[in-house]
Amino acid sequence: MSKSNGFIKLLRKIRPIPLIEAVLFSNEDPSKVSLNDIAMYLNFKFGIKLTRQAIKKRFNKNATNFLKQVLEGLLHSNLEDKVPVFSHSCFERITIKDSTCNQLPDHFKSVYPGSGGSGSKSAVRIQFEYDLKNLKVLELSVSPFNHQDLHNSKETISGVRKNDLVLRDLGYISLEVLKMIDASEAWYISRLNPNISKVYDAATGKLLDFAKTEQYMRRNNLSLIEKEVLLGDEKYKTRLVLELVPDEVKAGRIRNAEKYAKRKSRQIAKQRKAKFGLNLFLTNCPSKMIAAGEVRRIYGIRWQIEMIFKAWKQNIQFHKIKKMSIDRYEFLLYSKLIVIMLQWKFYQIMDIISYAKNKRRVSLLKIYKAFGLIKEKFISLLRGDKESARDIIKRLLDACNSYILHDDRKGRINWRSAQII
């Protein structure tokens, strides 16, 4: 593969794996890896003698393209085993998607422009989507920060399949996207996007007055109601679940909105302010499929993806970037993504084994910490030592009963919230 794209040419001293390994592991702090660290690592570990200048030349577009091919291969090599906890789900897949962003040195702005204005001049956005039901990674891609989530949502809508349940944050949702998911014969649960300003009560055909609806719910001691609504000028029909929030939550939302509006010299729209006392969820799932009282709980499992991003940052130092060339940065970035995918495979295996044996799931944060403690096994795996894969699983199995299982905490939304679906 590497030879076909020109990365490794005839008579070159260094092959892809040693360079990947040196970039990732030549310094305990990934943000401080220098060309000298890489040269020393290659010499001590592989007997390869190269100058700093020679190593610098190895970081180029061909090298990055090779790593992209490796990552693509890993993405398409998901396990076929299904997680037993969801074996009776009425959905084929439960897809969760979000992005994480990292600021970059300013000189990257021509390739990875940031938000502009007073924000970062350069930043990268990592899109991640996975299937909670089968623990399969569906997307792991890199784009500039200014390539917004909604653009990605529209570009990748063809990946939505019949009978999927799609859980996404507001940034991915528009009226157009909801209609496209519906057209794919898939299901969604989403919060109501504030940009969808026209919400009609399907029963009366009149615009829904959220302030009056909140007053009605509080007056009648109703914590939850649902309505069939029509969205936008096109009157797209869907189901709206309205949930009262505590007074202190409403007050906090108002304070935050007023601070933001003051900073931007704007006024808060009356209709928007009227929604602060409510959690508003849209779904095309009928009530016989998902009851109104379960909608927020199921949508809440979307936050599992935040645990994934936290694990990346804690254990792979995903967000630490020093000043370097753009080619070297991309080589480092895709090397880290490859390690993330390799570790995900082991997480997937251990979660299946754990639930089959103990009816308990593996904690993402705990297993990623465990990966850090057996780093040398992953290094051996990168070098092609097949026995290392067995050793990793053995080590994790030994830790499974005591150290890496998920702890259920009362009142906290977690994977068990999805068991009902």
Side-chain angles (χ1 to χ4, degrees):
M1 185 190 295
S2 59
K3 291 180 181 178
S4 66
N5 68 19
F7 178 34
I8 304 300
K9 291 184 178 178
L10 189 63
L11 299 180
R12 280 198 176 182
K13 291 183 178 180
I14 189 168
R15 299 186 63 80
I17 296 304
L19 185 56
I20 293 170
E21 185 181 322
V23 163
L24 292 173
F25 303 115
S26 60
N27 192 309
E28 288 298 318
D29 186 343
S31 67
K32 296 179 179 179
V33 173
S34 66
L35 290 173
N36 193 68
D37 290 334
I38 296 170
M40 191 184 304
Y41 190 94
L42 290 170
N43 190 0
F44 276 78
K45 297 291 185 178
F46 297 97
I48 298 171
K49 294 183 178 181
L50 287 171
T51 64
R52 293 189 294 264
Q53 291 73 19
I55 291 171
K56 187 176 181 179
K57 290 179 181 178
R58 266 58 176 186
F59 300 119
N60 53 50
K61 296 302 179 187
N62 287 327
T64 301
N65 288 337
F66 166 68
L67 296 186
K68 287 180 180 179
Q69 289 177 31
V70 173
L71 181 63
E72 190 70 17
L74 286 169
L75 282 169
H76 288 96
S77 63
N78 280 304
L79 301 178
E80 293 304 318
D81 305 61
K82 293 189 176 182
V83 182
V85 66
F86 297 118
S87 58
H88 301 296
S89 171
C90 60
F91 301 105
E92 290 296 318
R93 303 186 302 179
I94 304 168
T95 67
I96 301 177
K97 187 174 202 173
D98 208 343
S99 65
T100 183
C101 302
N102 295 324
Q103 290 191 12
L104 299 176
D106 288 352
H107 67 281
F108 288 177
K109 63 184 179 182
S110 62
V111 180
Y112 295 104
S115 56
S118 59
S120 173
K121 292 182 180 179
S122 180
V124 65
R125 186 184 298 273
I126 312 295
Q127 293 286 351
F128 183 65
E129 182 177 23
Y130 75 107
D131 170 13
L132 177 67
K133 180 175 178 179
N134 306 300
L135 287 184
K136 292 184 178 181
V137 176
L138 306 176
E139 181 182 359
L140 184 58
S141 63
V142 177
S143 63
F145 175 84
N146 63 0
H147 191 79
Q148 297 297 321
D149 292 336
L150 185 57
H151 296 150
N152 174 273
S153 186
K154 292 177 181 178
E155 289 170 355
T156 59
I157 199 70
S158 61
V160 176
R161 298 179 189 169
K162 182 178 180 180
N163 287 329
D164 280 355
L165 175 62
V166 179
L167 304 176
R168 293 183 183 175
D169 194 19
L170 278 178
Y172 293 89
I173 297 300
S174 67
L175 183 53
E176 180 186 1
V177 169
L178 293 179
K179 289 168 67 178
M180 287 192 286
I181 294 172
D182 224 348
S184 300
E185 299 183 70
W187 311 95
Y188 59 78
I189 299 177
S190 168
R191 288 187 293 158
L192 175 64
N193 194 318
N195 294 329
I196 302 176
S197 57
K198 295 180 179 179
V199 182
Y200 300 89
D201 188 327
T204 65
K206 295 180 180 179
L207 281 170
L208 192 59
D209 189 319
F210 289 98
K212 287 184 178 179
T213 302
E214 181 190 350
Q215 291 169 7
Y216 168 80
M217 292 175 70
R218 293 190 186 279
R219 189 169 58 248
N220 291 279
N221 200 27
L222 299 172
S223 62
L224 188 79
I225 63 172
E226 65 173 284
K227 288 179 176 288
E228 191 173 64
V229 294
L230 307 172
L231 304 180
D233 294 330
E234 301 166 54
K235 304 289 182 70
Y236 168 70
K237 184 182 288 188
T238 192
R239 182 182 170 209
L240 176 67
V241 175
L242 305 92
E243 179 187 53
L244 280 178
V245 301
D247 290 336
E248 60 271 22
V249 173
K250 179 181 179 180
R253 289 177 176 179
I254 292 172
R255 279 196 306 272
N256 291 336
E258 286 175 344
K259 284 181 184 177
Y260 182 80
K262 185 177 181 180
R263 193 164 67 245
K264 297 290 184 179
S265 301
R266 298 174 184 170
Q267 295 293 321
I268 304 173
K270 184 180 177 182
Q271 256 310 74
R272 185 174 173 225
K273 189 177 286 189
K275 298 173 183 175
F276 288 153
L278 299 165
N279 284 329
L280 303 166
F281 298 98
L282 297 173
T283 181
N284 61 343
C285 299
S287 56
K288 64 181 180 181
M289 179 182 285
I290 298 179
E294 302 294 349
V295 168
R296 180 178 67 85
R297 194 153 69 95
I298 294 171
Y299 182 76
I301 63 175
R302 192 193 62 79
W303 285 96
Q304 293 286 302
I305 205 165
E306 297 297 333
M307 292 296 100
I308 295 170
F309 294 153
K310 184 178 179 180
W312 292 358
K313 289 181 178 180
Q314 282 185 353
N315 302 294
I316 306 177
Q317 304 293 301
F318 199 76
H319 57 303
K320 289 189 175 182
I321 302 297
K322 64 178 283 183
K323 189 173 182 179
M324 62 182 73
S325 71
I326 187 68
D327 287 331
R328 182 176 161 195
Y329 165 69
E330 289 188 330
F331 191 94
L332 172 64
L333 174 61
Y334 282 99
S335 294
K336 289 186 175 185
L337 293 179
I338 287 167
V339 171
I340 283 170
M341 278 302 304
L342 283 173
Q343 292 180 341
W344 185 273
K345 304 293 184 185
F346 287 98
Y347 164 60
Q348 187 181 6
I349 291 167
M350 293 309 302
D351 199 61
I352 291 168
I353 292 173
S354 175
Y355 190 80
K357 289 178 64 176
N358 309 312
K359 292 294 184 285
R360 292 183 66 185
R361 306 292 296 280
V362 168
S363 163
L364 269 164
L365 290 178
K366 290 178 183 178
I367 198 169
Y368 269 84
K369 286 181 181 178
F371 291 151
L373 296 174
I374 52 174
K375 180 175 68 176
E376 73 284 353
K377 295 297 178 183
F378 280 97
I379 292 174
S380 295
L381 186 63
L382 280 173
R383 293 179 183 177
D385 179 9
K386 294 180 181 179
E387 286 299 317
S388 296
R390 297 186 181 93
D391 289 343
I392 291 170
I393 292 173
K394 184 178 183 300
R395 294 275 193 96
L396 294 174
L397 281 172
D398 290 341
C400 202
N401 291 329
S402 305
Y403 307 119
I404 62 172
L405 293 180
H406 176 86
D407 294 321
D408 290 339
R409 297 184 185 178
K410 190 175 180 180
R412 178 173 289 187
I413 292 173
N414 56 48
W415 63 271
R416 291 191 189 276
S417 303
Q419 280 185 295
I420 60 170
I421 56 175

